[in-house]
Amino acid sequence: MAKGNHSTVTEFILGGLTEKPELQLPLFFLFLGIYMVTVVGNMGMITLILLSSHLYAPMYFFLTSLSFIDLCHSTVITPKMLLNFVMEKNIISYSECLTQFYFFSVFAISECHMLAAMAYDHYVAICNPLLYNVTMSYGVCSLMAVGVYGMGLISATVHTVCMLRLVFCKANKINHYFCDFFPVLELSCSSTVINELIGLCFSTFNILVPTLTILGSYIFIIASILHIHSTEGRSKAFSTCSSHISAVTVFFGSLTFMYLQPSSVSSMDQGKVFSVFYTIVVPMLNPIIYSLRNKDVKVALNNLLEKNFL
């Protein structure tokens, strides 16, 4: 660590998901498999949308961005985590730890707001279908995407800059499989009150605002669906939203447990389990959910396979 920060700690040891030797190899292959599915699934989703002209719609513009975020989010965490299963000590330097924390924050926060943007898109598509192409024009979608990534970059920058003020002089073992907010704070020799306060404020904003946006959108969507008289119309509207609701529930549920409570209340061991959901499981599940439960994506995939292999 830089001399200006008055710290003797120049590197950390990642504690990993578990210290039980008999679980190391099975977990390595399990998470390696999950990561491979994540990469193939999200790269496949991005490629499919780019190659299928009838998927050139705002919904799939946001889905492409979500797949990109999930791919990057998983890549920031999983490779380093896999090393922990095959190495006696998984060492990460101070600068690497801060870098991992920064990009993890960027993509985690961006995903929160991207899911909110997708909920708003569903709201416009179902509640104002005649104005959909005007309301969700390419320019509007681009501005929304810039706002999503902007929120991720700004929040992550503030978090990381606040981390720079901390002094690490004794313990250097992080009780986690990556450099997360609270596990790193636990090792600080200096006061972490400011960091925890800023972290709680930003976490509340980045979780509560998207959650309220999503809830508000779906209240209007449900009210609109109830006015649809045909069973087929209601079924189509519900199917449009079902995959998004599934992704939102798992992602925001695990985030809320981790970051909307003081570090003294949360258990690090429980936190590891919930972290696995939003850092590893959700990026793998999203392309599966959106492909299996979306008729347009399934049709596009079948057309692409028939065109290239039949």
Side-chain angles (χ1 to χ4, degrees):
M1 189 174 174
K3 291 182 180 178
N5 289 323
H6 306 291
S7 172
T8 57
V9 175
T10 58
E11 60 186 24
F12 297 105
I13 299 172
L14 293 173
L17 197 60
T18 179
E19 294 183 353
K20 296 180 179 179
E22 67 273 15
L23 294 178
Q24 301 297 321
L25 199 58
L27 286 175
F28 171 80
F29 287 110
L30 173 63
F31 287 107
L32 177 61
I34 290 175
Y35 182 62
M36 291 173 67
V37 172
T38 300
V39 172
V40 173
N42 286 289
M43 285 295 294
M45 182 65 75
I46 293 170
T47 304
L48 179 64
I49 292 172
L50 293 177
L51 294 179
S52 303
S53 58
H54 74 281
L55 294 182
Y56 287 179
M59 178 190 300
Y60 301 106
F61 171 80
F62 291 124
L63 185 53
T64 301
S65 296
L66 182 66
S67 293
F68 172 75
I69 290 171
D70 281 335
L71 179 63
C72 294
H73 192 185
S74 182
T75 300
V76 168
I77 303 297
T78 311
K80 190 67 178 174
M81 176 192 184
L82 291 173
L83 288 176
N84 201 79
F85 295 125
V86 295
M87 295 179 66
E88 186 175 345
K89 284 187 179 181
N90 191 8
I91 296 173
I92 185 169
S93 70
Y94 173 77
S95 58
E96 288 174 339
C97 186
L98 278 187
T99 301
Q100 186 188 55
F101 173 75
Y102 176 77
F103 283 107
F104 154 71
S105 300
V106 168
F107 295 117
I109 294 167
S110 295
E111 180 146 356
C112 290
H113 294 282
M114 186 59 69
L115 289 170
M118 294 174 75
Y120 177 75
D121 174 70
H122 290 328
Y123 156 74
V124 177
I126 293 173
C127 299
N128 297 291
L130 297 178
L131 297 175
Y132 181 69
N133 290 331
V134 176
T135 306
M136 301 301 294
S137 64
Y138 178 77
V140 171
C141 291
S142 298
L143 286 174
M144 289 175 69
V146 170
V148 165
Y149 290 114
M151 289 304 304
L153 289 168
I154 292 171
S155 299
T157 300
V158 172
H159 276 306
T160 307
V161 169
C162 287
M163 283 286 192
L164 291 171
R165 61 175 289 278
L166 298 178
V167 176
F168 300 94
C169 54
K170 293 180 182 179
N172 70 336
K173 186 173 182 179
I174 298 173
N175 184 23
H176 216 314
Y177 58 88
F178 72 101
C179 293
D180 200 2
F181 185 68
F182 288 123
V184 173
L185 290 191
E186 278 195 335
L187 303 182
S188 175
C189 299
S190 55
S191 173
T192 61
V193 174
I194 294 176
N195 295 76
E196 290 193 35
L197 182 61
I198 292 175
L200 186 60
C201 290
F202 271 90
S203 297
T204 301
F205 175 81
N206 288 314
I207 294 176
L208 196 59
V209 170
T211 300
L212 291 176
T213 302
I214 293 167
L215 286 176
S217 298
Y218 278 108
I219 288 172
F220 285 108
I221 287 171
I222 292 170
S224 181
I225 290 175
L226 292 176
H227 286 87
I228 300 174
H229 298 293
S230 68
T231 305
E232 183 181 351
R234 288 187 180 185
S235 177
K236 185 177 180 181
F238 274 119
S239 66
T240 300
C241 303
S242 60
S243 55
H244 183 256
I245 293 172
S246 301
V248 165
T249 301
V250 177
F251 186 75
F252 278 98
S254 54
L255 274 184
T256 300
F257 178 88
M258 280 295 298
Y259 298 109
L260 290 188
Q261 58 181 315
S263 58
S264 57
V265 174
S266 61
S267 163
M268 283 301 168
D269 290 332
Q270 287 180 321
K272 289 181 187 181
V273 176
F274 281 89
S275 295
V276 166
F277 277 95
Y278 70 85
T279 59
I280 298 172
V281 176
V282 169
M284 177 194 70
L285 288 180
N286 278 345
I288 297 173
I289 292 172
Y290 282 101
S291 59
L292 292 179
R293 307 191 72 169
N294 188 299
K295 184 179 178 181
D296 291 335
V297 171
K298 286 191 286 186
V299 169
L301 180 59
N302 288 332
N303 290 341
L304 189 65
L305 292 175
E306 289 176 0
K307 181 179 178 181
N308 290 278
F309 299 104
L310 296 179

